[in-house]
Coordinates of all heavy atoms in Angstrom, one line a residue:
M1 N -33.5 18.7 8.6 CA -33.7 19.1 7.3 C -34.2 20.5 7.2 O -33.8 21.3 6.3 CB -34.7 18.2 6.6 CG -34.9 18.5 5.1 SD -36.0 17.4 4.2 CE -34.9 16.1 3.8
A2 N -34.9 21.0 8.3 CA -35.4 22.4 8.3 C -34.2 23.3 8.4 O -34.3 24.4 7.8 CB -36.4 22.6 9.4
E3 N -33.2 23.0 9.1 CA -32.0 23.8 9.2 C -31.3 24.0 7.9 O -30.9 25.0 7.5 CB -31.1 23.3 10.3 CG -29.9 24.2 10.5 CD -29.0 23.7 11.6 OE1 -29.4 23.0 12.5 OE2 -27.8 24.1 11.6
V4 N -31.2 22.8 7.2 CA -30.6 22.9 5.9 C -31.4 23.7 4.9 O -30.8 24.6 4.2 CB -30.4 21.4 5.3 CG1 -30.0 21.5 3.8 CG2 -29.4 20.6 6.1
A5 N -32.7 23.6 4.9 CA -33.6 24.4 4.1 C -33.4 25.8 4.4 O -33.4 26.7 3.4 CB -35.0 23.9 4.2
G6 N -33.4 26.2 5.6 CA -33.2 27.6 6.0 C -31.9 28.2 5.5 O -31.9 29.3 4.9
K7 N -30.8 27.5 5.7 CA -29.5 28.0 5.2 C -29.5 28.0 3.7 O -29.0 29.0 3.1 CB -28.4 27.1 5.8 CG -28.0 27.4 7.2 CD -26.8 26.6 7.5 CE -26.3 26.8 8.9 NZ -25.1 26.0 9.2
L8 N -30.0 27.0 3.1 CA -30.0 26.9 1.7 C -30.8 28.0 1.0 O -30.5 28.5 0.0 CB -30.5 25.5 1.2 CG -30.2 25.1 -0.2 CD1 -28.7 25.1 -0.4 CD2 -30.7 23.7 -0.4
R9 N -31.9 28.4 1.7 CA -32.8 29.5 1.2 C -31.9 30.7 1.1 O -31.9 31.5 0.1 CB -34.0 29.7 2.1 CG -34.9 30.7 1.6 CD -36.2 30.9 2.5 NE -36.8 29.6 2.8 CZ -36.7 29.0 4.0 NH1 -36.0 29.6 5.0 NH2 -37.4 27.9 4.3
E10 N -31.1 31.0 2.1 CA -30.3 32.2 2.2 C -29.2 32.1 1.1 O -28.9 33.1 0.4 CB -29.6 32.3 3.5 CG -30.5 32.6 4.7 CD -29.9 32.5 6.0 OE1 -28.6 32.5 6.1 OE2 -30.6 32.5 7.0
V11 N -28.6 30.9 0.8 CA -27.6 30.7 -0.2 C -28.3 31.0 -1.6 O -27.7 31.7 -2.4 CB -27.0 29.3 -0.2 CG1 -26.1 29.1 -1.4 CG2 -26.2 29.1 1.1
F12 N -29.5 30.5 -1.8 CA -30.1 30.7 -3.1 C -30.4 32.2 -3.3 O -30.1 32.8 -4.4 CB -31.5 30.0 -3.1 CG -31.4 28.6 -3.8 CD1 -30.8 27.6 -3.1 CD2 -32.1 28.4 -5.0 CE1 -30.7 26.3 -3.7 CE2 -32.0 27.1 -5.6 CZ -31.3 26.1 -4.9
V13 N -30.9 32.9 -2.3 CA -31.2 34.3 -2.4 C -29.9 35.1 -2.7 O -29.9 36.0 -3.6 CB -31.8 34.9 -1.1 CG1 -31.9 36.4 -1.1 CG2 -33.2 34.3 -0.9
E14 N -28.8 34.8 -2.0 CA -27.6 35.5 -2.3 C -26.9 35.2 -3.6 O -26.6 36.1 -4.4 CB -26.6 35.3 -1.1 CG -25.4 36.2 -1.2 CD -24.5 36.1 0.0 OE1 -25.1 36.0 1.1 OE2 -23.3 36.1 -0.1
A15 N -26.8 33.9 -3.9 CA -26.1 33.5 -5.1 C -26.8 33.9 -6.4 O -26.2 34.2 -7.4 CB -25.9 31.9 -5.1
L16 N -28.2 33.8 -6.3 CA -29.0 34.2 -7.5 C -29.5 35.6 -7.5 O -30.2 36.0 -8.4 CB -30.1 33.2 -7.7 CG -29.7 31.7 -7.9 CD1 -31.0 30.8 -7.9 CD2 -28.9 31.5 -9.1
D17 N -29.1 36.3 -6.4 CA -29.5 37.7 -6.2 C -31.0 37.9 -6.4 O -31.5 38.7 -7.2 CB -28.8 38.6 -7.3 CG -28.9 40.1 -6.9 OD1 -29.0 40.4 -5.7 OD2 -28.8 40.9 -7.9
L18 N -31.7 37.1 -5.6 CA -33.2 37.1 -5.6 C -33.8 38.2 -4.7 O -33.2 38.5 -3.7 CB -33.7 35.7 -5.1 CG -33.2 34.5 -5.9 CD1 -33.7 33.2 -5.3 CD2 -33.6 34.6 -7.4
D19 N -34.9 38.7 -5.1 CA -35.7 39.6 -4.3 C -36.7 38.8 -3.4 O -36.9 37.6 -3.6 CB -36.3 40.7 -5.1 CG -37.3 40.2 -6.0 OD1 -38.0 39.2 -5.8 OD2 -37.5 40.9 -7.1
G20 N -37.4 39.5 -2.6 CA -38.4 38.8 -1.7 C -39.6 38.3 -2.3 O -40.3 37.6 -1.7
E21 N -39.8 38.5 -3.6 CA -41.0 38.0 -4.3 C -40.8 36.6 -4.8 O -41.8 36.0 -5.2 CB -41.4 39.0 -5.4 CG -41.7 40.4 -4.9 CD -42.1 41.3 -6.0 OE1 -42.4 40.8 -7.1 OE2 -42.1 42.5 -5.8
V22 N -39.6 36.1 -4.9 CA -39.4 34.8 -5.5 C -39.7 33.7 -4.4 O -39.2 33.8 -3.3 CB -37.9 34.7 -6.0 CG1 -37.7 33.2 -6.4 CG2 -37.7 35.7 -7.1
D23 N -40.5 32.7 -4.8 CA -40.8 31.6 -3.9 C -39.7 30.6 -4.0 O -39.7 29.7 -4.9 CB -42.2 31.0 -4.4 CG -42.6 29.8 -3.5 OD1 -41.9 29.6 -2.5 OD2 -43.5 29.1 -3.9
V24 N -38.7 30.8 -3.2 CA -37.5 29.9 -3.3 C -37.8 28.5 -3.1 O -37.2 27.6 -3.8 CB -36.4 30.4 -2.2 CG1 -35.2 29.5 -2.3 CG2 -36.1 31.9 -2.5
E25 N -38.7 28.1 -2.2 CA -38.9 26.7 -1.9 C -39.5 25.9 -3.1 O -39.3 24.7 -3.2 CB -39.9 26.6 -0.7 CG -39.3 26.8 0.6 CD -39.1 28.3 0.9 OE1 -39.7 29.1 0.2 OE2 -38.3 28.6 1.8
N26 N -40.1 26.6 -4.0 CA -40.7 26.0 -5.2 C -39.9 26.3 -6.5 O -40.4 26.0 -7.6 CB -42.2 26.4 -5.4 CG -43.0 25.8 -4.3 OD1 -42.9 24.6 -4.0 ND2 -43.8 26.6 -3.6
L27 N -38.7 26.9 -6.3 CA -37.9 27.3 -7.5 C -37.3 26.1 -8.2 O -36.8 25.2 -7.5 CB -36.8 28.3 -7.0 CG -36.1 29.1 -8.0 CD1 -37.0 30.0 -8.8 CD2 -35.0 29.9 -7.4
K28 N -37.4 26.1 -9.5 CA -36.8 25.1 -10.3 C -35.8 25.8 -11.3 O -35.9 26.9 -11.7 CB -37.8 24.3 -11.1 CG -38.8 23.6 -10.2 CD -39.8 22.8 -11.0 CE -40.7 22.1 -10.0 NZ -41.9 21.6 -10.6
Y29 N -34.8 24.9 -11.7 CA -33.8 25.4 -12.6 C -34.5 26.0 -13.9 O -35.4 25.4 -14.4 CB -32.9 24.2 -13.1 CG -31.8 24.5 -14.0 CD1 -30.8 25.4 -13.7 CD2 -31.8 23.9 -15.3 CE1 -29.8 25.7 -14.6 CE2 -30.8 24.2 -16.2 CZ -29.8 25.1 -15.8 OH -28.8 25.4 -16.7
R30 N -34.0 27.2 -14.2 CA -34.5 28.0 -15.4 C -35.9 28.6 -15.2 O -36.5 29.1 -16.1 CB -34.4 27.2 -16.7 CG -33.0 26.8 -17.1 CD -32.9 26.4 -18.5 NE -31.6 26.0 -18.8 CZ -30.7 26.7 -19.5 NH1 -31.0 27.9 -19.9 NH2 -29.5 26.3 -19.8
D31 N -36.5 28.5 -14.0 CA -37.7 29.2 -13.7 C -37.5 30.7 -13.8 O -38.5 31.4 -14.1 CB -38.2 28.9 -12.3 CG -39.1 27.7 -12.2 OD1 -39.4 27.1 -13.2 OD2 -39.5 27.3 -11.1
I32 N -36.4 31.1 -13.4 CA -36.1 32.6 -13.5 C -34.8 32.8 -14.3 O -34.0 31.9 -14.4 CB -35.9 33.1 -12.0 CG1 -34.8 32.4 -11.3 CG2 -37.2 33.1 -11.3 CD1 -34.4 33.0 -10.0
E33 N -34.6 34.0 -14.8 CA -33.5 34.3 -15.6 C -32.2 34.1 -14.9 O -31.2 33.6 -15.5 CB -33.6 35.8 -16.1 CG -32.6 36.1 -17.1 CD -32.8 37.5 -17.7 OE1 -34.0 37.9 -17.8 OE2 -31.8 38.2 -17.9
A34 N -32.1 34.4 -13.6 CA -30.9 34.3 -12.8 C -30.4 32.9 -12.7 O -29.2 32.6 -12.5 CB -31.1 34.9 -11.4
W35 N -31.3 31.9 -12.7 CA -30.9 30.5 -12.6 C -30.7 29.9 -14.0 O -31.4 29.0 -14.4 CB -31.8 29.7 -11.7 CG -31.3 28.4 -11.2 CD1 -30.0 27.9 -11.5 CD2 -31.9 27.5 -10.4 NE1 -29.8 26.7 -10.8 CE2 -31.0 26.4 -10.1 CE3 -33.1 27.4 -9.8 CZ2 -31.3 25.3 -9.3 CZ3 -33.4 26.3 -9.0 CH2 -32.5 25.3 -8.8
D36 N -29.7 30.4 -14.7 CA -29.3 29.9 -16.0 C -28.1 29.0 -15.7 O -27.8 28.7 -14.6 CB -29.1 30.9 -17.0 CG -28.0 31.9 -16.6 OD1 -27.3 31.7 -15.5 OD2 -27.8 32.9 -17.3
S37 N -27.4 28.6 -16.8 CA -26.2 27.7 -16.5 C -25.1 28.4 -15.8 O -24.5 27.8 -14.9 CB -25.7 27.2 -17.9 OG -25.3 28.3 -18.7
V38 N -24.9 29.7 -16.0 CA -23.9 30.4 -15.2 C -24.3 30.6 -13.8 O -23.5 30.4 -12.8 CB -23.6 31.8 -15.9 CG1 -22.7 32.6 -15.0 CG2 -23.1 31.6 -17.3
G39 N -25.6 31.0 -13.6 CA -26.1 31.1 -12.2 C -26.1 29.7 -11.5 O -25.9 29.7 -10.3
H40 N -26.3 28.7 -12.2 CA -26.3 27.3 -11.6 C -24.9 27.0 -11.1 O -24.8 26.5 -9.9 CB -26.7 26.3 -12.7 CG -26.9 24.9 -12.1 ND1 -28.0 24.6 -11.3 CD2 -26.1 23.8 -12.2 CE1 -27.9 23.3 -11.0 NE2 -26.8 22.8 -11.5
M41 N -23.9 27.3 -11.8 CA -22.5 27.0 -11.3 C -22.2 27.9 -10.2 O -21.5 27.4 -9.2 CB -21.5 27.2 -12.5 CG -21.7 26.2 -13.6 SD -22.0 24.5 -13.1 CE -20.4 24.1 -12.3
A42 N -22.6 29.2 -10.2 CA -22.4 30.0 -9.0 C -23.1 29.5 -7.8 O -22.6 29.5 -6.7 CB -22.8 31.5 -9.3
L43 N -24.3 29.0 -8.0 CA -25.1 28.5 -6.9 C -24.5 27.2 -6.3 O -24.4 27.1 -5.1 CB -26.5 28.2 -7.4 CG -27.5 27.6 -6.4 CD1 -27.7 28.5 -5.2 CD2 -28.8 27.2 -7.1
V44 N -24.0 26.4 -7.2 CA -23.4 25.1 -6.7 C -22.1 25.5 -5.9 O -21.9 24.9 -4.8 CB -23.0 24.2 -7.9 CG1 -22.0 23.1 -7.5 CG2 -24.2 23.7 -8.6
A45 N -21.3 26.4 -6.4 CA -20.1 26.8 -5.6 C -20.5 27.4 -4.3 O -19.9 27.1 -3.3 CB -19.3 27.8 -6.4
A46 N -21.5 28.2 -4.2 CA -22.0 28.8 -3.0 C -22.5 27.8 -2.0 O -22.2 27.9 -0.8 CB -23.1 29.9 -3.3
I47 N -23.2 26.8 -2.5 CA -23.7 25.7 -1.6 C -22.6 24.9 -1.1 O -22.5 24.6 0.1 CB -24.7 24.8 -2.4 CG1 -26.0 25.6 -2.7 CG2 -25.1 23.6 -1.6 CD1 -26.9 24.9 -3.7
E48 N -21.6 24.6 -2.0 CA -20.4 23.8 -1.5 C -19.7 24.5 -0.4 O -19.3 23.9 0.6 CB -19.5 23.5 -2.7 CG -20.1 22.4 -3.6 CD -19.2 22.1 -4.8 OE1 -18.5 23.0 -5.3 OE2 -19.3 21.0 -5.3
D49 N -19.5 25.8 -0.6 CA -18.8 26.6 0.4 C -19.6 26.7 1.7 O -19.0 26.5 2.8 CB -18.6 28.1 -0.1 CG -17.5 28.1 -1.2 OD1 -16.8 27.1 -1.4 OD2 -17.4 29.2 -1.9
E50 N -20.9 27.0 1.6 CA -21.7 27.1 2.9 C -21.7 25.8 3.7 O -21.6 25.9 4.9 CB -23.1 27.6 2.5 CG -24.0 27.7 3.7 CD -23.6 28.8 4.7 OE1 -23.0 29.8 4.2 OE2 -23.9 28.7 5.9
F51 N -21.9 24.7 3.0 CA -22.1 23.5 3.7 C -20.9 22.6 3.7 O -21.0 21.5 4.3 CB -23.3 22.7 3.0 CG -24.6 23.4 3.2 CD1 -25.1 24.2 2.3 CD2 -25.4 23.2 4.4 CE1 -26.4 24.9 2.4 CE2 -26.6 23.9 4.6 CZ -27.1 24.7 3.6
E52 N -19.8 23.1 3.2 CA -18.6 22.3 3.2 C -18.8 20.9 2.6 O -18.4 19.9 3.2 CB -17.9 22.3 4.6 CG -17.5 23.6 5.0 CD -16.9 23.7 6.4 OE1 -16.8 22.6 7.0 OE2 -16.5 24.7 6.8
V53 N -19.5 20.8 1.5 CA -19.7 19.6 0.8 C -19.2 19.7 -0.7 O -18.8 20.8 -1.1 CB -21.2 19.2 0.7 CG1 -21.8 19.0 2.1 CG2 -22.0 20.3 0.0
E54 N -19.1 18.6 -1.3 CA -18.6 18.6 -2.7 C -19.6 17.7 -3.6 O -19.8 16.6 -3.3 CB -17.2 18.1 -2.9 CG -16.6 18.3 -4.2 CD -15.2 18.0 -4.3 OE1 -14.5 18.2 -3.3 OE2 -14.7 17.5 -5.4
F55 N -20.2 18.3 -4.6 CA -21.0 17.6 -5.5 C -20.2 17.0 -6.6 O -19.3 17.6 -7.1 CB -22.1 18.5 -6.1 CG -23.0 19.2 -5.1 CD1 -22.9 20.5 -4.8 CD2 -24.0 18.4 -4.4 CE1 -23.7 21.1 -3.9 CE2 -24.8 19.0 -3.5 CZ -24.7 20.4 -3.2
D56 N -20.6 15.8 -7.0 CA -20.0 15.2 -8.2 C -20.8 15.7 -9.4 O -21.8 16.4 -9.3 CB -20.0 13.7 -8.2 CG -21.3 13.0 -8.1 OD1 -22.3 13.6 -8.7 OD2 -21.4 11.9 -7.6
T57 N -20.3 15.4 -10.6 CA -20.8 16.0 -11.9 C -22.3 15.6 -12.0 O -23.1 16.4 -12.4 CB -20.0 15.5 -13.1 OG1 -18.7 15.9 -12.9 CG2 -20.6 16.0 -14.4
D58 N -22.6 14.4 -11.7 CA -24.0 13.9 -11.8 C -25.0 14.7 -10.9 O -26.1 15.1 -11.3 CB -24.2 12.4 -11.6 CG -23.6 11.6 -12.7 OD1 -23.5 12.1 -13.8 OD2 -23.3 10.4 -12.4
Q59 N -24.5 15.0 -9.7 CA -25.3 15.8 -8.8 C -25.5 17.2 -9.2 O -26.6 17.8 -9.1 CB -24.7 15.8 -7.4 CG -24.7 14.4 -6.7 CD -23.9 14.3 -5.5 OE1 -22.8 14.8 -5.4 NE2 -24.5 13.7 -4.4
V60 N -24.4 17.8 -9.8 CA -24.5 19.2 -10.3 C -25.6 19.2 -11.4 O -26.4 20.1 -11.5 CB -23.2 19.7 -10.9 CG1 -23.3 21.0 -11.6 CG2 -22.2 19.8 -9.7
I61 N -25.6 18.2 -12.3 CA -26.5 18.2 -13.4 C -27.9 17.9 -12.9 O -28.9 18.5 -13.3 CB -26.1 17.1 -14.4 CG1 -24.8 17.5 -15.1 CG2 -27.3 16.8 -15.4 CD1 -24.2 16.4 -15.9
D62 N -28.1 17.1 -11.8 CA -29.4 16.7 -11.3 C -30.0 17.7 -10.4 O -31.2 17.6 -10.0 CB -29.3 15.3 -10.6 CG -29.0 14.2 -11.5 OD1 -29.2 14.3 -12.7 OD2 -28.5 13.1 -11.0
M63 N -29.3 18.7 -10.0 CA -29.8 19.7 -9.0 C -30.8 20.6 -9.8 O -30.4 21.7 -10.3 CB -28.7 20.5 -8.4 CG -29.2 21.4 -7.3 SD -27.9 22.5 -6.6 CE -26.7 21.3 -6.0
S64 N -32.0 20.2 -9.9 CA -33.0 20.8 -10.7 C -34.0 21.7 -10.0 O -34.8 22.3 -10.6 CB -33.7 19.8 -11.5 OG -34.3 18.9 -10.7
S65 N -33.9 21.7 -8.7 CA -34.8 22.5 -7.9 C -34.3 22.7 -6.5 O -33.3 22.1 -6.1 CB -36.2 21.8 -7.8 OG -36.1 20.7 -7.0
F66 N -34.9 23.7 -5.8 CA -34.5 23.9 -4.4 C -34.7 22.6 -3.6 O -33.8 22.3 -2.8 CB -35.4 25.1 -3.9 CG -35.1 25.3 -2.4 CD1 -34.1 26.1 -2.0 CD2 -36.0 24.8 -1.4 CE1 -33.8 26.3 -0.7 CE2 -35.8 25.0 -0.1 CZ -34.7 25.8 0.3
K67 N -35.8 22.0 -3.8 CA -36.1 20.8 -3.0 C -35.1 19.7 -3.3 O -34.7 19.0 -2.4 CB -37.5 20.2 -3.4 CG -38.6 21.2 -2.8 CD -40.0 20.7 -3.2 CE -41.0 21.7 -2.7 NZ -42.4 21.4 -3.1
V68 N -34.7 19.5 -4.5 CA -33.6 18.5 -4.8 C -32.3 18.9 -4.1 O -31.6 18.1 -3.6 CB -33.4 18.4 -6.4 CG1 -32.2 17.6 -6.7 CG2 -34.6 17.8 -7.0
A69 N -32.0 20.2 -4.1 CA -30.8 20.7 -3.5 C -30.8 20.4 -2.0 O -29.8 20.0 -1.4 CB -30.6 22.2 -3.7
V70 N -32.0 20.6 -1.4 CA -32.1 20.3 0.1 C -31.8 18.8 0.3 O -31.0 18.4 1.2 CB -33.5 20.7 0.6 CG1 -33.7 20.1 2.0 CG2 -33.7 22.2 0.6
D71 N -32.4 17.9 -0.5 CA -32.2 16.5 -0.3 C -30.7 16.1 -0.6 O -30.2 15.3 0.2 CB -33.1 15.7 -1.3 CG -34.5 15.8 -1.0 OD1 -34.9 16.2 0.2 OD2 -35.3 15.5 -1.9
M72 N -30.1 16.7 -1.6 CA -28.7 16.4 -1.8 C -27.8 16.9 -0.7 O -26.9 16.1 -0.3 CB -28.2 17.1 -3.1 CG -28.8 16.5 -4.4 SD -28.1 17.4 -5.8 CE -28.7 16.3 -7.1
V73 N -28.0 18.1 -0.2 CA -27.1 18.5 0.9 C -27.4 17.7 2.2 O -26.4 17.3 2.8 CB -27.4 20.0 1.2 CG1 -26.7 20.5 2.5 CG2 -26.9 20.9 0.0
T74 N -28.6 17.4 2.4 CA -28.9 16.6 3.6 C -28.2 15.2 3.5 O -27.7 14.7 4.5 CB -30.4 16.4 3.8 OG1 -31.0 17.7 3.9 CG2 -30.8 15.6 5.0
D75 N -28.3 14.6 2.3 CA -27.7 13.3 2.1 C -26.2 13.4 2.2 O -25.6 12.5 2.9 CB -28.1 12.8 0.7 CG -27.5 11.4 0.4 OD1 -27.8 10.5 1.2 OD2 -26.8 11.3 -0.6
L76 N -25.5 14.4 1.7 CA -24.1 14.5 1.8 C -23.6 14.8 3.2 O -22.6 14.3 3.6 CB -23.6 15.7 0.9 CG -23.6 15.4 -0.6 CD1 -23.3 16.7 -1.4 CD2 -22.6 14.3 -1.0
Q77 N -24.4 15.5 3.9 CA -24.1 15.8 5.3 C -24.2 14.5 6.2 O -23.6 14.5 7.3 CB -24.9 16.9 5.9 CG -24.5 18.3 5.4 CD -25.2 19.4 6.1 OE1 -26.4 19.2 6.4 NE2 -24.6 20.5 6.3
S78 N -25.0 13.6 5.8 CA -25.2 12.4 6.6 C -24.1 11.4 6.4 O -24.1 10.4 7.1 CB -26.6 11.8 6.3 OG -26.6 11.2 5.0
K79 N -23.3 11.6 5.4 CA -22.2 10.6 5.1 C -21.0 10.9 5.9 O -20.7 11.9 6.4 CB -21.9 10.6 3.6 CG -23.0 10.1 2.8 CD -22.7 10.1 1.4 CE -23.9 9.6 0.6 NZ -23.8 9.6 -0.8

């Protein structure tokens, strides 16, 4: 899970164009301006590309935080 979190942190930083001051591990949807609905879709696409996974619609809607994203990616990779 630590490896997923590390890679996912990089994806969040790049997809949402975050600077070093943002606490990515505790980030939640709409906590910052960049993670709006458009940013969310860009983030989902970036995660799918990086981890070669595909989220269904419910998962896209439910991805409400960095921690939830880590759990989702870990779960998808275990299947």
Side-chain angles (χ1 to χ4, degrees):
M1 186 177 273
E3 184 178 336
V4 169
K7 281 186 177 180
L8 197 55
R9 185 180 310 106
E10 294 173 13
V11 172
F12 267 68
V13 168
E14 186 170 323
L16 298 176
D17 194 27
L18 304 177
D19 62 30
E21 296 181 16
V22 175
D23 180 10
V24 177
E25 284 77 16
N26 291 309
L27 193 60
K28 295 179 182 167
Y29 180 62
R30 295 194 185 259
D31 271 355
I32 58 172
E33 189 175 323
W35 197 358
D36 60 5
S37 59
V38 174
H40 187 72
M41 295 314 296
L43 178 61
V44 167
I47 294 170
E48 288 180 331
D49 287 347
E50 177 65 30
F51 292 95
E52 298 181 356
V53 296
E54 187 171 332
F55 298 109
D56 63 30
T57 303
D58 289 338
Q59 290 170 317
V60 171
I61 293 168
D62 291 343
M63 189 183 301
S64 58
S65 71
F66 176 82
K67 290 177 183 175
V68 170
V70 170
D71 291 343
M72 285 181 174
V73 170
T74 302
D75 184 54
L76 287 172
Q77 286 186 324
S78 69
K79 294 181 180 177

